[in-house]
């Protein structure tokens, strides 16, 4: 197994696909996706374009859909919700499909949608994703951070490092044998240094600060937790993720 970490979707190679691709947007798209599916949501369908989201979701009855739109960290006017996983209670999402478009995370998922296996990971479901990868033993695994509008983000890279670190520990292989690029070493080192202070790291991150200005303190607390959800969001068809 060879792991590759890409800090943003823009850095993903355009001429090949891995056996398994994992999208990461800790703050907050993939955290929200995992939470929705763990709470009984039927599926999550992702869009980069808001108009396309509206067009597709219009075909669903209001009782069977939820529209989530986020730009710049804030809720898009006219949508049912923004991008907070704390809004995704079983009472609200059970049996419904979430149609979601966010600033960064949905772009990452669309960038890797042609891989044979596509998953969404966050810190909160890290262990479940690692368990699935170890069971399937894909030859190549890409972990793709969403970043922020093309730039590196601390929270996505530390999550990539959390996944890589766990895979490294559980395979008992030297890190240089499973690391396909230097970014794996970088991400693993970041996680090793901050693994006991992940909420503090969120407060240092530029997007974490952006969310704090929007009074999203509880979102940061929730998203900085590790391994609290036993759910693997996996792509059933391009852009549509379901609970494994």
């Amino acid at each position: 197994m060879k792991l590759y970490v890409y800090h943003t979707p823009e850095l993903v190679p355009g001429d090949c696909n891995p056996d398994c691709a994992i999208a990461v947007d800790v703050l907050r798209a993939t955290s929200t996706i995992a939470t929705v599916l763990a709470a009984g949501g039927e599926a999550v369908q992702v869009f980069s374009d808001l108009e396309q989201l509206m067009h597709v979701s219009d075909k669903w009855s209001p009782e069977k859909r939820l529209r989530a739109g986020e730009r710049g960290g804030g809720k898009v006017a006219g949508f049912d919700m923004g991008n907070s996983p704390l809004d995704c209670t079983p009472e609200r999402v059970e049996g419904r499909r979430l149609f979601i478009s966010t600033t960064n995370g949905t772009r990452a998922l669309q960038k890797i949608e042609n891989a044979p296996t596509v998953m969404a990971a966050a810190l909160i479901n890290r262990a479940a994703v690692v368990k699935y990868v170890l069971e399937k033993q894909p030859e190549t695994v890409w972990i793709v951070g969403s970043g922020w509008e093309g730039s590196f983000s601390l929270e996505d890279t530390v999550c990539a490092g959390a996944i890589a670190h766990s895979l490294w520990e559980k395979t008992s292989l030297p890190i240089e044998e499973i690391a396909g690029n230097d970014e794996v070493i970088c991400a693993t080192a970041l996680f090793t240094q901050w693994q006991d202070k992940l909420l503090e790291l969120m407060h240092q991150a530029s997007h974490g600060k952006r969310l704090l200005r929007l009074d999203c303190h509880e979102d940061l607390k929730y998203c900085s937790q590790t391994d609290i959800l036993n759910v693997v969001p996996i792509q059933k068809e391009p852009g549509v993720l379901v609970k494994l």
Side-chain angles (χ1 to χ4, degrees):
M1 185 188 301
K2 279 287 186 185
L3 302 180
Y4 298 81
V5 168
Y6 299 100
H7 296 310
T8 69
E10 290 77 11
L11 296 172
V12 170
D15 57 352
C16 60
N17 282 308
D19 298 301
C20 173
I22 303 169
V24 174
D25 184 6
V26 174
L27 297 177
R28 294 163 287 173
T30 55
S31 296
T32 295
I33 290 167
T35 302
V36 167
L37 295 177
E42 178 264 337
V44 178
Q45 190 161 350
V46 302
F47 299 84
S48 56
D49 182 76
L50 292 169
E51 288 188 11
Q52 186 187 17
L53 183 158
M54 295 298 289
H55 175 71
V56 173
S57 62
D58 269 342
K59 299 172 184 176
W60 289 63
S61 70
E63 294 78 21
K64 291 293 184 181
R65 73 176 184 225
L66 279 170
R67 291 166 169 161
E70 173 266 320
R71 290 293 183 269
K75 174 178 172 288
V76 176
F79 278 64
D80 299 308
M81 53 187 285
N83 189 22
S84 173
L86 299 180
D87 290 337
C88 303
T89 61
E91 295 78 15
R92 191 171 200 187
V93 307
E94 189 170 7
R96 305 173 85 176
R97 177 170 294 203
L98 184 75
F99 297 86
I100 185 170
S101 179
T102 71
T103 306
N104 303 292
T106 48
R107 289 190 304 110
L109 279 160
Q110 291 189 323
K111 187 75 173 183
I112 60 174
E113 68 181 12
N114 291 324
T117 300
V118 175
M119 292 179 283
L123 290 166
I124 56 176
N125 71 325
R126 184 268 310 255
V129 168
V130 167
K131 181 174 182 287
Y132 181 81
V133 172
L134 290 172
E135 287 172 356
K136 298 300 180 183
Q137 288 290 316
E139 286 190 23
T140 54
V141 180
W142 292 358
I143 308 172
V144 181
S146 298
W148 178 261
E149 296 184 345
S151 297
F152 172 94
S153 68
L154 279 171
E155 67 277 4
D156 291 343
T157 298
V158 82
C159 182
I163 295 167
H165 185 270
S166 185
L167 288 168
W168 168 39
E169 280 192 328
K170 294 180 186 302
T171 55
S172 301
L173 293 170
I175 188 69
E176 58 269 21
E177 283 193 28
I178 65 169
N181 61 3
D182 288 355
E183 288 89 333
V184 174
I185 308 295
C186 167
T188 304
L190 181 67
F191 173 72
T192 302
Q193 179 162 349
W194 287 90
Q195 59 184 314
D196 298 320
K197 301 177 291 183
L198 290 171
L199 179 57
E200 184 179 335
L201 181 70
M202 302 286 180
H203 283 252
Q204 299 291 332
S206 58
H207 190 41
K209 292 177 181 177
R210 190 177 293 110
L211 291 173
L212 288 171
R213 290 193 294 270
L214 294 169
D215 294 324
C216 296
H217 304 79
E218 296 303 317
D219 278 16
L220 266 63
K221 288 181 184 178
Y222 178 80
C223 294
S224 65
Q225 299 175 95
T226 52
D227 308 335
I228 62 169
L229 296 182
N230 185 27
V231 60
V232 178
I234 193 161
Q235 184 173 262
K236 179 177 71 170
E237 58 188 82
V240 179
L241 295 112
V242 296
K243 180 181 178 180
L244 186 66

